[in-house]
Amino acid sequence: MSVIKFTEDHEWLAIDGDVATCGITVYAQEQLGDVVFVDLPDVGQSFATGDEAAVVESVKAAAEVYAPIAGEIVEVNSTVAENPATVNEDAQGGGWFFKLRIADAGELDGLMDQAAYDAFVEGLE
Amino acid sequence: MSQSRDKSGGLKLIEIEGGPRTHSGHRGLDHEEPLIFEQGAPESTGVDLPEVGDFTDRLGGLARQGPTGLPGLSEPEVVRHFVRISRDNHAIDMAMYPLGSCTMKHNPRLNEKVARLAGLAEVHPLQPPETAQGALELIDTLAHWLITLTGMPAVAMSPAAGAHGELCGMMCIRAALDARGESRQVVLVPESAHGTNPATAAMCGYRVEAIAADPRGRVDVAALAERLGPDVAGVMLTNPNTCGLFESDIVEIARLVHAAGGYFYCDGANFNAIMGRVRPGDLGIDCMHINLHKTFSTPHGGGGPGSGPVVLSEALAPFAPRPYVIREGDGFRLVESEHDPADDGRAFGRLKGFHGQMGMFIRALTYMMSHGADGLRQAAEDAVLNANYVRAGLEDVMSLPFPGPCMHEVLFDDASLKDTGVTTLDLAKAMIDEGVHPMTMYFPLVVHGAMLIEPTDSESKASLDEFIALMRGLMADAAAGDVDRFEGAPFHAPRRRLDETRAARQPVLRWRPPAPAEAAE
C-alpha cells in the first residue's frame, strides 16, 4: 500500500519509491461536474512545484492541474485523455493523470495526509 | 417531442403533448424546421444564370471538378427557413436577457436608422480619404467622446471586439516595456477579473499568476503588493469586477503597480456601470478597452460584430496601432504607415484590416449623441439601480456571497439551493420555461454555483417586478421540494434538456450528407 498525499488544490499523489502517481481528488471531480476534456503533459517534461502540468475541463469550468511537487514526467494516463469520464468514475484510481519522478522527497512532508485533507474539505463546505 | 422522417422522406405522425397529433409535425406557428442542408436539392436554384458557353480554363487545373454540395433553394424557402429558426431562439427583442457581465441592453432603433443612411452605409474603406471625410470625422468625434468620458489622453479605435481590445492594450504594454529594454515575464490577474484576461496575457507571451479575492469579493491588495516586483509586466483588473462590485482600492492598486514599474490594464467591459460617474483616467489606469457593443448599445450575441476601442495613458499612447485618424487643415486623414510624416515609428503595427468596426462606430456615436452626457450618466445609474432592485427583491430567498449594494449586476451563490436537490443549472433551465434568458451561471469561479444577474438599464420597473416574481416562484418551488419541474426543464422550449456532457465529449461539429447506401434506399 503506497502512501497517499494531498494538496490544497485538490490533487492527490500516491508515492511508490521515487515515483508519484498524481490526479485530482474525488471532491475535485464532484465540484467540476462531468469532465469532458483532459490535456496531459509530455513524458520527459520537468515541472517546478506549482507549475501548470495539465488542464481539466468540465461542463462547468476549465481548471489547471498543478505539479504538486517538482519532478519529471515518466508516464501519462492516455485513458483519461481518450475517455475523460474516467476522471468522474474513478478519480483516485484509474483516473490518474501522470506519474512524476520525485525531485526532492523532502517536499512530501509539506503535503496533507488523508485525515488532514478530509478536515480541509470539511472546512470548505 | 421530435420530428422524424420515414424512409420515403414523408413525415411521420408524432405525439404532441397537450393536443391532437398534427400531420405536418408542426405545432401551429411552432415549426419543426429541418437543417437547410436537408432541404431543397443541389440541382435547384433560386437564381436564373445563363448557361456557360465555351471558355478557357485559366485556373491551372484547379477548377472545381464536382458539385459544391450547397443546398438549392428558392428565395422564399431561404427566407422562411431563417425566420422559422430565429423564432426558436431567445433575443433581447423578445424578452429580458439578464446574462451577467454580457450587458444585453436594448439596441435602439435610432442607431439602426442612422447606420442605414446611404452616405454611411455605402462608404467603402478603400475609397480615397478625401471622399470619405464624413466617415473619418465620425471616427474622430467618437474618439473624442471616448476620451472625454474616460479622462484618458488617447484612444486606439481599430480593435474589433473586447478581447481584441485587451490584446491591443497588452501589446501596447509589451511595446512600452520593449522600448524600455525590459523583459518582464509575469502578468497578475485577480480571480474576480474577466475570463478573457488570462488568455490575452498568455497570448502576448506572459506567464499568468492569479491574485486571490478577499472576503469582500475584491482584490486582496496585500497579496497583490507582496507579489509585485521587477518581473511583473502589469496587472489586469476588471472594474466593476465580475462579482458586480466596485474595486474600491483601485487607486492604491494603480499606485502599487506603477511603483513596481508595471502597467495597469483595466478591463472596461463593465464601464456601463460607471460611465458619466467615474473617469478611469482619474483612477491611474494605463489602458482600458471599451465594449461599444455592451456599454454603447450596439448589437451583439449573434447580432454583432463587437467593437473594442482602447483608451491609453500618455505612457502607452505612442505605441497604439495604425491606422489612426488625424485632423489636418480643415479635414481628416488616415495615418497608415511608418513612412507617414505624422508617424513617429513607435506604433506596434496594425491590428486589423481597415480602420475598425465602422457600422458599430455609427451606432455607438448615435447612442451617445441621442442620450447626451446626462443621459449616459443616467443609463449607468439606472443599470446600477436595476441590479440593486433585483438584489433587494431576491436577497431573502436567494443567497448573496458578498453584502450589497452591488453595481450593475448582482451575484448570488447556490447556498440557498443546498439540500433542495436543485442545482444552479436546473434553476437556469427552469428560467427558460418562464420565458427569460437564464443568468450567467458558474461564473465567476470565486463563489460556489454562481448566478450572475445583470438586468441592464433597459428594463422597466414592471419588467423587473415580473422577473423578481418568477424567480421568487421558482425558489419557492425548489424549497417545497418540487424537483421535477427543475430536473425536467425546459419543458416549453423547442428542445428539452440537451446532453451537454455528450455534446462536449463527442462533439458533432459539422453536418455531413447521409452515407450513399442510406441515401439510395
Side-chain angles (χ1 to χ4, degrees), chain B residues 451-463:
Chain B
M451 303 174 221
L452 186 62
I453 298 174
E454 180 177 10
T456 84
D457 46 293
S458 301
E459 301 304 323
S460 64
K461 180 174 178 298
S463 165

Side-chain angles (χ1 to χ4, degrees), chain A residues 31 34-36 59-60 85 88, chain B residues 442 445 448 500-501 504-505:
Chain A
Q31 295 299 307
D34 289 345
V35 173
V36 296
V59 287
K60 281 196 265 181
N88 296 113
Chain B
Y442 301 113
L445 301 173
H448 198 276
E500 294 179 17
T501 304
R505 285 179 182 163

Side-chain angles (χ1 to χ4, degrees), chain B residues 140-359:
Chain B
D140 187 70
T141 307
L142 176 60
H144 175 74
W145 274 81
L146 293 173
I147 284 170
T148 306
L149 281 166
T150 57
M152 298 286 281
V155 60
M157 296 298 291
S158 67
H164 203 214
E166 288 178 39
L167 183 66
C168 175
M170 292 308 289
M171 288 177 78
C172 286
I173 288 176
R174 197 174 59 183
L177 288 168
D178 285 349
R180 276 161 45 179
E182 294 183 32
S183 61
R184 295 172 176 240
Q185 306 289 324
V186 177
V187 167
L188 305 179
V189 181
E191 285 177 342
S192 55
H194 265 138
T196 44
N197 295 171
T200 299
M203 198 165 167
C204 285
Y206 291 109
R207 199 168 76 244
V208 177
E209 291 184 24
I211 297 293
D214 71 10
R216 302 175 309 134
R218 292 164 171 93
V219 176
D220 184 334
V221 180
L224 178 78
E226 194 180 335
R227 181 58 192 86
L228 283 167
D231 60 335
V232 175
V235 171
M236 296 183 82
L237 172 141
T238 305
N239 196 18
N241 66 27
T242 52
C243 301
L245 302 171
F246 191 80
E247 291 285 358
S248 41
D249 294 319
I250 188 166
V251 173
E252 174 64 4
I253 291 169
R255 192 190 66 77
L256 290 167
V257 175
H258 291 147
Y263 292 102
F264 187 18
Y265 188 95
C266 183
D267 184 318
N270 296 336
F271 187 55
N272 59 306
I274 57 174
M275 65 175 168
R277 294 294 303 245
V278 177
R279 298 195 316 163
D282 298 332
L283 304 177
I285 68 159
D286 288 298
C287 51
M288 182 182 90
H289 76 266
I290 298 164
N291 303 68
L292 299 186
H293 50 289
K294 294 168 150 187
T295 302
F296 297 107
S297 81
T298 75
H300 64 132
S307 181
V310 180
V311 288
L312 299 161
S313 63
E314 296 285 1
L316 296 184
F319 306 100
R322 301 180 199 96
Y324 48 87
V325 176
I326 57 168
R327 199 183 274 265
E328 205 168 72
D330 292 335
F332 299 86
R333 76 180 180 86
L334 278 165
V335 176
E336 301 225 47
S337 89
E338 66 270 33
H339 305 300
D340 190 302
D343 193 87
D344 69 3
R346 287 193 285 172
F348 70 68
R350 181 183 269 270
L351 200 62
K352 186 183 184 303
F354 303 129
H355 326 311
Q357 305 282 45
M358 190 64 199

Side-chain angles (χ1 to χ4, degrees), chain A residues 12-60:
Chain A
W12 59 268
L13 307 80
I15 293 103
D16 186 9
D18 66 344
V19 171
T21 304
C22 307
I24 66 170
T25 64
V26 171
Y27 174 82
Q29 67 80 23
E30 277 171 8
Q31 295 299 307
L32 282 167
D34 289 345
V35 173
V36 296
F37 176 73
V38 176
D39 190 25
L40 295 170
D42 295 324
V43 171
Q45 264 186 286
S46 288
F47 294 106
T49 309
D51 280 357
E52 182 186 318
V55 175
V56 55
E57 275 184 41
S58 75
V59 287
K60 281 196 265 181

